[in-house]
């Protein structure tokens, strides 16, 4: 079977972690390597899509034919993704911080004699995926990921509905050899009338299988 083309389509993909600065030397981050989002962007460009990759701080090479926008924080990723619309498809593979420090210290936070702890005040970040799905420039297809440590399918279905997505790719994280950092993963893709298990396979193979579903849904 030939690979379904995405020629003429514009696809925006987010990838990697976000880093939320606490002070000039420290930040809150997560274990996302960016491999998933970069593989999706590479596969989309290879199928002829005009592809914008909004990348958090990762050390991966830019895939051929992809326009890359580098960001650091959740707020910067939000702004870059919204600026990349309109698009036919948005795929949110990034692990975006749900909380960010209420304020960033200008100076390195010091430990003081007698202090045996530090309380950080965090505030919610804006939800990029939900904002893309609610946007007046909503892409025809909004695809989210759900990184879950338990109740994978139920939690993913909750995100599909709450964030008004067309597809959600659920993955179990925290297990050796899947989810974050590794080269392989397994996805459960859920959408209207769709429940498809992909993998276990390499993230490159999963990206291609996901884009088959995307191309099918775009019609
Ligand atoms: O980068 P890798 O090492 O290859 O790892 C891949 C991955 C595990 C990061 C990827 O497969 C994955 O699951 N990405 C989503 C991780 C995540 O943040 O999941 P979540 O369940 O917390 O968020 C749900 C969805 O909302 C995601 O599409 C996320 O991009 C989006 N989100 C979350 C918070 C926020 N403020 N804005 C968002 O857009």
């Amino acid at each position: 079977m030939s690979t379904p083309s995405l020629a003429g389509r514009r696809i925006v993909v987010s990838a990697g972690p976000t880093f939320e600065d606490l002070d000039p030397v420290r930040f809150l981050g997560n274990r996302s390597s960016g491999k998933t989002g970069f593989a999706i962007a590479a596969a989309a460009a290879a199928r002829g899509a005009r592809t914008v990759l909004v990348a958090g701080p990762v050390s991966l090479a830019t895939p051929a034919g992809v326009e890359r926008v580098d960001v650091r924080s959740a707020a910067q990723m939000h702004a870059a993704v919204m600026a990349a619309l309109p698009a036919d498809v948005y795929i949110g593979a990034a692990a975006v911080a749900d909380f960010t420090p209420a304020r960033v210290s200008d100076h390195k936070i010091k430990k003081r004699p007698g202090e045996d702890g530090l309380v950080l005040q965090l505030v919610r970040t804006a939800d990029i995926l939900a904002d893309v799905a609610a946007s007046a420039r909503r892409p025809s297809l909004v695809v989210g990921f759900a990184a879950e440590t338990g109740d994978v399918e139920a939690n993913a279905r909750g995100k599909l509905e709450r964030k008004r997505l067309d597809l959600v790719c659920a993955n179990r994280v925290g297990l050796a050899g899947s989810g974050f950092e590794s080269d392989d993963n397994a996805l459960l893709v859920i959408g209207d009338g769709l429940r498809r298990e992909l993998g276990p396979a390499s993230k490159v193979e999963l990206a291609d299988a996901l884009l088959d579903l995307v191309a099918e849904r775009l019609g």
Side-chain angles (χ1 to χ4, degrees):
M1 207 180 72
S2 66
T3 305
S5 166
L6 290 169
R9 303 293 191 176
R10 180 174 165 88
I11 298 192
V12 179
V13 182
S14 71
T18 64
F19 286 177
E20 310 301 319
D21 288 332
L22 279 164
D23 70 14
V25 298
R26 304 184 183 93
F27 59 85
L28 301 174
N30 65 66
R31 289 172 46 202
S32 171
S33 64
K35 287 175 187 171
T36 298
F38 274 60
I40 293 169
R47 288 173 189 235
R50 285 177 293 127
T51 307
V52 179
L53 173 61
V54 179
V58 294
S59 48
L60 294 175
T62 308
V66 167
E67 179 189 334
R68 174 174 178 170
V69 182
D70 283 313
V71 298
R72 179 173 173 86
S73 65
Q76 289 170 0
M77 186 171 279
H78 187 283
V81 167
M82 298 313 276
L85 300 182
D88 297 289
V89 183
Y90 173 66
I91 303 179
V96 187
D98 290 320
F99 295 94
T100 192
R103 70 175 206 96
V104 183
S105 171
D106 292 338
H107 307 286
K108 185 180 169 198
I109 299 168
K110 298 282 186 196
K111 47 186 185 304
R112 298 204 177 81
E115 264 182 356
D116 57 3
L118 175 70
V119 175
L120 294 176
Q121 192 186 354
L122 305 178
V123 294
R124 284 286 291 269
T125 57
D127 193 308
I128 304 167
L129 193 56
D131 286 355
V132 168
S135 162
R137 295 185 297 165
R138 188 192 199 280
S140 310
L141 217 58
V142 179
V143 182
F145 273 69
E148 305 295 343
T149 52
D151 294 330
V152 175
E153 183 160 352
N155 285 328
R157 284 188 186 278
K159 281 173 186 166
L160 182 76
E161 280 174 27
R162 267 197 320 281
K163 302 194 186 200
R164 297 170 188 272
L165 310 178
D166 299 293
L167 294 175
V168 67
C169 307
N171 54 173
R172 189 178 283 276
V173 292
L175 295 176
S178 74
F180 289 112
E181 293 168 326
S182 77
D183 289 334
D184 303 314
N185 201 2
L187 298 176
L188 171 62
V189 185
I190 304 170
D192 191 14
L194 177 78
R195 186 189 181 282
R196 186 81 53 88
E197 292 188 34
L198 304 179
S202 74
K203 288 178 177 175
V204 170
E205 290 168 303
L206 291 173
D208 231 31
L210 176 60
L211 288 184
D212 283 345
L213 293 176
V214 164
E216 200 178 281
R217 295 257 144 172
L218 281 174

